[in-house]
Amino acid sequence: MKLFDEIPAERPATPLLDTLDTPAALRAMSTAQLVQVADELRAYLLYSVGVSGGHFGAGLGVVELTVALHQALETPYDRLVWDVGHQAYPHKILTGRREGMPSIRHYGGLAAFPRRAESEYDTFGVGHSSTSISAALGMALAARARGEKRRSCAVIGDGALTAGMAFEALAHAGHVDANLLVVLNDNEMSISENVGGIASYLARILVSKPYTTMREGGKKVLSHLPGALELARRTEEHMKGMISPATLFEEMGFNYIGPIDGHDLPLLVQTLGNMRDLDGPQFLHVRTRKGRGFLPAEADPIGYHAITKLEKGDEAPPLVPPVPKKKVPKYCNVFGDWLCDMAAADARLLGITPAMREGSDLIRFSREYPERYFDVAIAEQHAVTLAAGMACEGMKPVVAIYSTFLQRGYDQLIHDVAVQDLDVTFAIDRAGLVGEDGPTHHGSLDLAYLRCVPGLVVLAPADEAECRAMLSAAYHYPGPAAVRYPRGSGPGVTIPTHLEPMPIGQAETRRECGAEAGRRVVLLAFGSLNTPAAEVAENLDAGHVNMRSVKPLDREAILAAAAGHDLLVTLEENVVAGGAGSAVNELLAAEGVQVAMLNLGLPDAFVEHGKPAELLAESGLDAAGIEAAIRTRLDA
């Protein structure tokens, strides 16, 4: 295997890889040629991600596995399903998208994750983890129902295997005896270090001190007895069978093979070739190293989970990622600081994250309050109900979770938290358009799915200072409350150090409307769209109200706006259908108030990937788009 210590600044020579328009050619290659393809694939992956930016370490870790899978399976006829998709860049390169890779995650370019509309080789669209086994099992059962001999294979990481959904699918696959191959890519990592009993079990079982002490001590004692060493060897193999991962998966109905070296390409090819035509559920355990082949990423797999693109003139990343320049604090940093400050003030606070310590900025909290920090792994449903249980015992849990990840725990939010009116605070990150990860990660639905839940307070800050004050308000509210804030930085206002809460349900008038008859407009802005609203209000001499609270609404502020203006415009970085604007419409209808309304928000469609500014402009939610929509309505 060729090793790299820097990202190639120029496109590397990849003569054999360049001949592969489809993976079918892999099936006629010698082992030596497959090894050359893998080396060229890793070099091109380093180059292309350096150009585009994006997910990095996971793809490097599965280069050999990707080559072997496409060599062993008759893709796309055989169904290959990748979990999450962080590791699918080599798959994209091998399946006809090599020259398009520099465009990945860019507006109009390739998607960040497998996507059915992009390629017939992308058999299942993904973005959230732990779905691959369920999807591949569904494909296998559909093939059986149609009398087809196609194979189905799911590739899942040990991090994704911590989710309950993966085990539900494993249990079902064993029950229905489907022809399904599950490949466990075990690199002891998700984005952060893996947590949980299963991950720890896989990592520790055969190197545990009691096991090794017993083995070595037993050898010394038995070495003096004739024939005893052979008996000990057989006994050891039997004990391994009782405690190894094979026991777990074979009890679920799978034929378990492994673990094997996931970077030994000849071994992978031989093993997959032997397993592909076996009937019934098959489980292959493969050990890999995240960032394999790129020395800086091997040294720091968390820091190199993803990288930004290299601009011309940039040096390749050093062995340790550079310390970022001091910038305006991001919303997640505001949350991280608030969490530590509130924890110091209230010993009842407990922090929960579903495997997003770095993304939600719980790093400092996890170090300063390790006994009050709970990373539950990729298990959003468990995270929510865990918080509910804590609240039942008088604690004050705070669940730090991305908007789209909370969708996976929605049933628990309703039944386990809201129905029981439990005191749980939800810090909802990545609300609105998040950028290059695309529709699976845009937080475009949370205002709609949250505000319909009885008893749940929903707050949306206009800036960093409001975010801190709203977190305090949600924390002190004696029931379920959520603060939803966007990815990245805000307007850059001064952030207070106190923990004073903001009044819930109280809007703020930021600009009074001008006096022109027949064109009196007021903008009712929620959250992040207060920034463009301020610019539009100046240009149109319109009123501007920062609504702050989605639920409860400030009834008096809305009625006053309706009474004194000719047009009310609601603004939200959320789908219009069922969102904050709909809440305003419902309030006015219930009060019997008739006034012209214009609800602006995200379209009734899944917004594609690109930079947030590009996507806001495309959605008509930048200042220019908002102003144009209002002028069109006024002219009409």
Side-chain angles (χ1 to χ4, degrees), residues 408-429:
R408 309 186 87 179
Y410 188 54
D411 179 73
Q412 288 70 27
L413 170 66
I414 296 171
H415 287 256
D416 298 339
V417 176
V419 168
Q420 303 185 90
D421 194 30
L422 292 174
D423 189 359
V424 178
T425 300
F426 294 91
I428 304 175
D429 197 357

Side-chain angles (χ1 to χ4, degrees), residues 24-42:
L26 293 171
R27 294 154 209 157
M29 287 185 176
S30 66
T31 300
Q33 288 175 311
L34 292 174
V35 171
Q36 181 182 339
V37 167
D39 284 342
E40 293 180 7
L41 179 56
R42 181 170 276 107

Side-chain angles (χ1 to χ4, degrees), residues 263-435:
H263 302 296
D264 185 337
L265 186 53
L267 176 61
L268 283 170
V269 169
Q270 180 183 18
T271 304
L272 286 167
N274 291 336
M275 295 184 70
R276 65 187 169 194
D277 293 322
L278 296 177
D279 291 331
Q282 307 296 319
F283 195 101
L284 176 60
H285 184 174
V286 174
R287 296 298 300 271
T288 63
R289 186 175 179 86
K290 194 171 183 180
R292 179 67 168 169
F294 183 61
L295 299 178
E298 289 192 32
D300 182 14
I302 296 177
Y304 281 93
H305 171 71
I307 63 170
T308 57
K309 69 177 181 178
L310 297 178
E311 302 294 345
K312 288 186 177 180
D314 283 356
E315 294 182 357
L319 290 180
V320 177
V323 177
K325 298 178 182 178
K326 188 173 182 180
K327 298 179 181 178
V328 175
K330 298 178 180 179
Y331 278 101
C332 64
N333 305 140
V334 174
F335 165 73
D337 290 340
W338 170 86
L339 189 68
C340 290
D341 293 344
M342 187 60 79
D346 188 346
R348 297 173 298 166
L349 185 149
L350 303 174
I352 302 171
T353 177
M356 287 289 111
R357 180 185 64 182
E358 284 76 21
S360 294
D361 197 16
L362 278 81
I363 300 173
R364 180 182 150 207
F365 180 81
S366 69
R367 293 169 180 167
E368 294 184 6
Y369 300 96
E371 299 302 317
R372 295 158 67 181
Y373 165 74
F374 300 92
D375 183 341
V376 302
I378 304 174
E380 295 86 358
Q381 294 171 306
H382 169 57
V384 176
T385 303
L386 176 71
M390 292 171 172
C392 286
E393 298 302 317
M395 302 305 284
K396 298 273 288 181
V398 177
V399 181
I401 192 167
Y402 290 6
S403 172
T404 55
F405 295 168
L406 183 55
Q407 293 166 191
R408 309 186 87 179
Y410 188 54
D411 179 73
Q412 288 70 27
L413 170 66
I414 296 171
H415 287 256
D416 298 339
V417 176
V419 168
Q420 303 185 90
D421 194 30
L422 292 174
D423 189 359
V424 178
T425 300
F426 294 91
I428 304 175
D429 197 357
R430 268 56 168 188
L433 298 175
V434 300

Side-chain angles (χ1 to χ4, degrees), residues 165-239:
M165 183 177 180
F167 279 89
E168 292 171 11
L170 287 170
H172 188 216
H175 175 71
V176 297
D177 196 33
N179 288 336
L180 171 70
L181 170 61
V182 174
V183 177
L184 172 61
N185 173 31
D186 180 4
N187 61 15
E188 301 181 6
M189 295 289 297
S190 51
I191 296 176
S192 306
E193 299 93 344
N194 281 332
V195 298
I198 295 300
S200 300
Y201 173 68
L202 293 174
R204 72 174 184 253
I205 191 63
L206 294 181
V207 294
S208 63
K209 187 174 181 180
Y211 178 78
T212 55
T213 300
M214 179 180 63
R215 181 185 61 193
E216 297 305 319
K219 285 182 179 179
K220 291 179 181 178
V221 172
L222 296 174
S223 62
H224 303 291
L225 301 177
L229 276 179
E230 177 61 20
L231 175 62
R233 185 191 65 78
R234 293 180 181 179
T235 303
E236 178 182 5
E237 293 303 315
H238 180 65
M239 290 179 61

Side-chain angles (χ1 to χ4, degrees), residues 539-563:
N539 293 344
L540 296 178
D541 195 20
H544 172 201
V545 179
N546 170 20
M547 293 302 298
R548 290 177 169 167
S549 180
V550 178
K551 185 178 183 178
L553 289 169
D554 188 334
R555 174 180 176 274
E556 299 305 321
I558 293 172
L559 293 179

Side-chain angles (χ1 to χ4, degrees), residues 106-183:
H106 291 190
Y107 186 71
L110 295 179
F113 302 99
R115 185 179 181 189
R116 283 171 55 82
E118 188 176 284
S119 171
E120 63 180 334
Y121 291 90
D122 291 357
T123 60
F124 196 73
V126 292
H128 292 179
S129 83
S130 314
T131 61
S132 59
I133 303 176
S134 296
L137 176 59
M139 295 172 187
L141 294 176
R144 186 167 74 184
R146 298 173 62 174
E148 297 171 343
K149 290 295 185 181
R150 70 172 81 242
R151 310 173 187 93
S152 293
C153 174
V155 183
I156 187 168
D158 53 330
L161 196 64
T162 61
M165 183 177 180
F167 279 89
E168 292 171 11
L170 287 170
H172 188 216
H175 175 71
V176 297
D177 196 33
N179 288 336
L180 171 70
L181 170 61
V182 174
V183 177

